[in-house]
Amino acid sequence: MNSFPDSESEFCKGLFKKSKTSLYELANRLEIHSISKDFFTEIVLPLTSFFNSLENRSRPYFICFTGGQGSGKTTLSEFVQLVLKEGCKKRSIGFSIDDIYKTPEEREYLAKSVHPLCKVRGVPGTHDIELGLNTLDSLVQANDASLTPIPSFSKPLDRHLPKESWPVYQGKPDFIFFDAWCGGARPVSTENWKPPMNTLEKEEDPEGIWSKWSNDELAGDYQALFNRFDLLLMIKVPSMEHVYESRLLQEQTLAKTLQDPELKKKIMNKQEVFRFVMHYERLTRYILEEMPSFADIVCLLYTSDAADEKRGVDLGGRR
């Protein structure tokens, strides 16, 4: 639901008027051609208005957008940042947990020393959390002249782009946005550890060595990063099945934007996408069950009935 008072609606209308053209231009660049005005008026603008209403302070607000694969975390972050800039004159920067993956060589070492599945990027344990913390600290401690390189990872190439090509942010932002499919997640309880829950786990990790290792990693340095969040926003999708379909759509959209024929060959088909998402299923199901009870903001994009699309923001402040 949208919990803003009527007076706030007028402010949101003003924001939309100032940023409407840029919002649709961004949607086109992102290959989102069927976006509706309601998405902006019921999700993007109320969120932006809320962030803008936070007390001014010298330290940037660190805000995490979390949700299942393909739920639109990065896209929502980009829209909010655009309106903050054009409508509110606020400075912001965003980066993703996908931008701080460990290198293929580091994951290869984990595959040999821990479990073969560690080679596949994505689950807790396959990210360079120190890189994330260092980037955050650089932005928080910046002055007007400071330059902070923002990590940039190429999924088709499966490695970071050369550091000299990373975007550079100058100064100290008012907001730092971080999107992560497992952002803010707490470790799964091991007291009643569930047996293999999909084909991947049954075939490649029947004893739970890999899944328990990843859970232990989540309990470590990831919590040091997550504890820095000022606000945790969860995009709540209706089911794990929705995650599978959304991730497939994400891959299909990526295929449209790639020009390099060799990179296009690395686009996953439906079967490959579904098997890939199985790596995330155990923690994703836990997040869907547990996180709504402690996230600061829950953003509902869909009802359980796919034919009855519904949007809203719950600013319950329950954390």
Side-chain angles (χ1 to χ4, degrees):
M1 66 177 180
N2 188 328
S3 60
F4 286 99
D6 292 339
S7 60
E8 200 69 22
S9 296
E10 292 302 315
F11 181 72
C12 288
K13 289 178 183 178
L15 288 181
F16 188 57
K17 184 177 181 180
K18 293 177 183 177
S19 55
K20 177 180 178 180
T21 299
S22 295
L23 284 170
Y24 283 105
E25 287 177 350
L26 176 57
N28 284 330
R29 289 199 301 273
L30 296 174
E31 297 286 334
I32 308 173
H33 302 302
S34 60
I35 199 163
S36 70
K37 179 182 175 181
D38 288 347
F39 173 70
F40 294 133
T41 59
E42 296 179 19
I43 297 292
V44 175
L45 297 172
L47 283 175
T48 307
S49 177
F50 173 69
F51 295 144
N52 183 62
S53 72
L54 297 173
E55 181 182 1
N56 289 330
R57 67 184 195 186
S58 60
R59 181 167 58 87
Y61 284 95
F62 187 35
I63 300 172
C64 177
F65 285 10
T66 190
Q69 297 284 309
S71 61
K73 304 175 293 298
T74 305
T75 301
L76 180 59
S77 176
E78 290 192 33
F79 282 130
V80 168
Q81 289 183 65
L82 187 152
V83 182
L84 280 171
K85 176 184 177 182
E86 298 204 353
C88 307
K89 307 304 178 185
K90 295 292 178 69
R91 290 165 55 83
S92 68
I93 184 64
F95 65 107
S96 170
I97 198 168
D98 291 350
D99 291 316
I100 58 171
Y101 279 126
K102 289 179 176 176
T103 66
E105 294 77 17
E106 289 172 317
R107 287 183 273 122
E108 182 67 41
Y109 173 78
L110 290 172
K112 293 177 180 178
S113 61
V114 179
H115 190 281
L117 285 176
C118 296
K119 185 176 182 178
V120 180
R121 65 174 190 257
V123 301
T126 63
H127 302 94
D128 185 346
I129 298 301
E130 183 178 4
L131 175 59
L133 287 169
N134 288 342
T135 303
L136 174 62
D137 288 340
S138 179
L139 292 166
V140 169
Q141 298 165 11
N143 56 42
D144 290 343
S146 298
L147 299 176
T148 301
I150 306 299
S152 182
F153 189 92
S154 169
K155 289 182 179 179
L157 294 175
D158 192 22
R159 62 174 57 251
H160 286 100
L161 297 175
K163 192 167 184 179
E164 57 269 20
S165 68
W166 290 5
V168 176
Y169 186 85
Q170 180 174 346
K172 180 188 291 187
D174 299 303
F175 297 93
I176 303 167
F177 289 93
F178 182 72
D179 61 271
W181 75 273
C182 59
R186 299 167 182 173
V188 178
S189 171
T190 56
E191 291 183 6
N192 297 301
W193 189 263
K194 294 181 180 179
M197 55 199 324
N198 56 41
T199 303
L200 176 80
E201 291 192 359
K202 290 176 182 177
E203 293 179 353
E204 301 188 39
D205 187 39
E207 297 178 2
I209 295 172
W210 165 76
S211 56
K212 290 178 181 177
W213 165 82
S214 181
N215 194 54
D216 288 342
E217 291 290 308
L218 177 62
D221 291 346
Y222 285 75
Q223 298 305 308
L225 178 62
F226 297 169
N227 287 337
R228 300 279 294 273
F229 298 156
D230 290 294
L231 290 168
L232 175 63
L233 178 149
M234 178 191 186
I235 299 176
K236 190 177 187 306
V237 297
S239 66
M240 189 66 207
E241 289 67 33
H242 180 87
V243 175
Y244 279 103
E245 295 296 337
S246 296
R247 185 61 183 82
L248 176 60
L249 179 61
Q250 190 179 57
E251 197 75 2
Q252 293 169 340
T253 301
L254 179 61
K256 296 177 183 178
T257 62
L258 291 176
Q259 303 298 323
D260 189 327
E262 291 303 311
L263 294 183
K264 281 183 174 289
K265 292 178 182 179
K266 297 183 179 182
I267 295 295
M268 292 184 285
N269 60 33
K270 183 174 182 178
Q271 184 177 2
E272 290 169 332
V273 166
F274 275 47
R275 190 166 182 84
F276 179 71
V277 174
M278 287 180 189
H279 292 80
Y280 302 83
E281 183 170 355
R282 180 178 293 271
L283 182 56
T284 297
R285 288 188 181 277
Y286 185 70
I287 289 171
L288 288 174
E289 293 173 3
E290 299 294 329
M291 189 171 288
S293 67
F294 64 83
D296 297 295
I297 303 171
V298 177
C299 182
L300 178 67
L301 295 186
Y302 302 91
T303 63
S304 57
D305 182 356
D308 180 21
E309 188 172 337
K310 185 176 181 180
R311 298 183 175 92
V313 179
D314 180 4
L315 297 169
R318 293 186 295 264
R319 195 177 183 190

